[in-house]
């Protein structure tokens, strides 16, 4: 938000805030009004932010757990703990659900765009998520010895419930993801443009540019796979552009006595370096295997490695960016 608005708005509305703090809805309206003083894109980005945060904190670790479980062959013996998200960067699944995905995550969007299809998709996702958390959390706690351990009959019952609920969950989360992809691209692009206008192409601009290109790359692949229009040449070119954006970081590493904001951005970039490299390696591997006419299953595995690498990078980026900015 433009800092020039803060002082006059704060003086003019200081007493009003005390009154409005009694209810949540008016504060949402006030927040949106303040956002719109910066730009409509800022208002939309901030209205989407709680939904994006929910998916980042909950859906990304759950999908990583799901992929790991499938990769292991979906063993019956570990099914009860398969969707414990803590090994994938998440906290306790119930805690993340309660704190990152409350029903209020759609409040700002309801005010800003009350007819948005994302509203019903997100509400459906939250309902399905709640049931999935209850099912998997209960089984995990029993497996850890809280209460009676799962008997064979209870495990069979859990497995019979897991498959349809897992399918419903993935369908609901995919629906929200696809709608967010459409709505979130324009605000991020405008944010990049405004950042350049204010601060030139500094380290913050370069980092945001890289994250936008990383997202555009995975979206290009997803669309190309769905429509069967992706070519090896397109894959090679988008990978080249993404690596070029990543390499931009190097020019900021030699700044003598960087200020604190630059240090924070470089630190964040450093912490996403490992999943970022994995993401690029997976893209290279898919391109190489494609040219070598690898088996369809190998290409499918490569594609899943790409989406997994992107999800891991995005999870780490968003988690750290919220703490630093």
């Amino acid at each position: 938000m433009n800092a020039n608005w803060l002082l006059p708005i704060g003086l003019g509305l200081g007493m009003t805030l005390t009154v409005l703090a009694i209810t949540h809805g008016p504060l949402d309206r006030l927040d949106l009004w303040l956002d719109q003083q910066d730009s409509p894109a800022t208002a939309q980005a901030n209205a989407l932010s709680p939904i994006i945060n929910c998916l980042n904190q909950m859906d990304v670790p759950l999908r990583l757990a799901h992929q790991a479980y499938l990769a292991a062959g979906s063993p019956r013996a570990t099914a009860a703990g398969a969707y414990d998200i803590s090994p994938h960067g998440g906290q306790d699944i119930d805690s993340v659900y309660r704190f990152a995905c409350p029903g209020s995550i759609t409040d700002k969007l309801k005010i800003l765009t009350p007819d948005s299809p994302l509203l019903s998709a997100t509400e459906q996702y939250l309902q399905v998520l709640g049931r999935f958390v209850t099912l998997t959390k209960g089984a995990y706690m029993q497996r850890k010895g809280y209460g009676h351990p799962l008997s064979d009959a209870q495990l069979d019952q859990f497995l019979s419930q897991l498959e349809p609920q897992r399918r419903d969950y993935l369908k609901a989360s995919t629906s929200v993801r696809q709608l967010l992809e459409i709505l979130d691209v324009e605000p991020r692009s405008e944010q990049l443009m405004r950042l350049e206008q204010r601060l030139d192409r500094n380290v913050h601009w370069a980092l945001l540019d890289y994250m936008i290109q990383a997202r555009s790359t995975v979206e290009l692949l997803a669309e190309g796979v769905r429509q069967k229009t992706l070519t090896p040449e397109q894959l090679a070119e988008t990978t080249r552009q993404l690596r070029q954006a990543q390499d931009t970081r190097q020019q900021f590493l030699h700044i003598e006595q960087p200020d604190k904001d630059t240090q924070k951005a470089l630190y964040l970039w450093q912490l996403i370096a490992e999943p970022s490299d994995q993401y690029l390696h997976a893209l290279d591997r898919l391109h190489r295997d494609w040219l070598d006419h690898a088996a369809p299953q190998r290409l499918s595995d490569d594609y899943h490695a790409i989406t997994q690498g992107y999800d891991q990078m995005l999870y780490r980026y968003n988690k750290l960016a919220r703490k630093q900015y």
Side-chain angles (χ1 to χ4, degrees):
M1 179 179 292
N2 190 334
N4 294 331
W5 287 94
L6 295 182
L7 180 59
I9 290 174
L11 291 175
L13 299 177
M15 292 301 295
T16 308
L17 284 173
T18 305
V19 178
L20 293 182
I22 299 172
T23 60
H24 188 66
L27 278 179
D28 286 332
R29 293 182 182 278
L30 177 60
D31 287 343
L32 281 173
W33 184 82
L34 293 174
D35 293 340
Q36 287 173 327
Q37 306 313 304
D38 190 61
S39 76
T42 298
Q44 177 165 316
N46 289 346
L48 298 178
S49 179
I51 303 174
I52 293 172
N53 178 55
C54 170
L55 262 70
N56 182 56
Q57 297 302 308
M58 180 61 77
D59 187 53
V60 172
L62 276 177
R63 284 177 176 264
L64 292 174
H66 175 66
Q67 291 167 5
Y69 183 53
L70 293 183
S74 304
R76 182 177 188 274
T78 62
Y83 291 91
D84 170 28
I85 62 176
S86 54
H88 303 279
Q91 300 173 358
D92 170 78
I93 188 172
D94 188 57
S95 299
V96 178
Y97 169 61
R98 287 186 288 108
F99 290 108
C101 301
S104 59
I105 62 174
T106 59
D107 285 357
K108 283 189 176 183
L109 187 61
K110 286 178 182 177
I111 298 169
L112 186 67
T113 317
D115 58 347
S116 171
L118 180 59
L119 286 171
S120 59
T122 303
E123 289 165 1
Q124 174 66 18
Y125 170 70
L126 293 176
Q127 292 175 11
V128 173
L129 174 61
R131 294 195 294 269
F132 191 70
V133 167
T134 299
L135 175 68
T136 56
K137 174 65 175 179
Y140 173 68
M141 294 297 287
Q142 285 182 296
R143 175 177 174 270
K144 296 292 285 185
Y146 298 95
H148 297 291
L150 287 173
S151 65
D152 287 343
Q154 289 173 318
L155 181 56
D156 288 339
Q157 181 181 15
F158 169 71
L159 288 170
S160 69
Q161 294 175 308
L162 178 62
E163 180 56 33
Q165 287 204 29
R166 181 173 64 187
R167 186 168 56 247
D168 290 346
Y169 173 79
L170 292 172
K171 179 180 178 181
S173 70
T174 298
S175 177
V176 175
R177 279 179 168 232
Q178 290 174 345
L179 290 168
L180 277 172
E181 286 175 5
I182 298 171
L183 295 173
D184 194 43
V185 169
E186 183 177 351
R188 297 306 172 195
S189 299
E190 181 167 336
Q191 182 184 5
L192 185 67
M193 179 187 69
R194 292 167 68 84
L195 189 61
E196 182 178 3
Q197 290 174 344
R198 292 174 180 176
L199 301 173
D200 204 0
R201 293 194 174 191
N202 67 353
V203 64
H204 303 285
W205 181 94
L207 178 56
L208 181 59
D209 178 59
Y210 170 72
M211 293 304 299
I212 290 175
Q213 287 202 42
R215 176 172 177 165
S216 298
T217 298
V218 79
E219 288 173 359
L220 173 68
L221 264 64
E223 182 65 18
V225 169
R226 282 196 297 267
Q227 301 295 333
K228 298 182 179 180
T229 56
L230 185 67
T231 65
E233 292 75 20
Q234 287 178 315
L235 176 59
E237 177 59 20
T238 193
T239 303
R240 184 194 67 78
Q241 293 175 359
L242 182 61
R243 181 169 282 108
Q244 186 177 42
Q246 184 194 49
D247 290 344
T248 304
R249 170 177 174 264
Q250 300 299 320
Q251 72 185 58
F252 302 103
L253 296 178
H254 306 294
I255 297 177
E256 295 184 4
Q257 298 181 337
D259 58 39
K260 288 185 178 180
D261 285 342
T262 299
Q263 290 177 0
K264 288 179 179 180
L266 289 173
Y267 178 64
L268 177 55
W269 212 330
Q270 178 184 354
L271 288 175
I272 67 170
E274 181 181 356
S276 175
D277 288 342
Q278 292 173 351
Y279 181 41
L280 281 165
H281 290 331
L283 287 165
D284 288 335
R285 188 164 57 248
L286 174 60
H287 183 253
R288 183 174 61 253
D289 288 342
W290 196 347
L291 293 180
D292 290 343
H293 305 288
Q297 183 59 51
R298 177 64 179 271
L299 297 177
S300 178
D301 291 344
D302 289 344
Y303 178 72
H304 284 301
I306 290 170
T307 59
Q308 185 173 0
Y310 174 75
D311 276 349
Q312 289 175 327
M313 179 178 65
L314 182 64
Y315 176 82
R316 189 174 295 188
Y317 172 84
N318 283 342
K319 186 174 182 179
L320 294 168
R322 285 199 311 278
K323 292 179 180 179
Q324 293 193 16
Y325 299 107

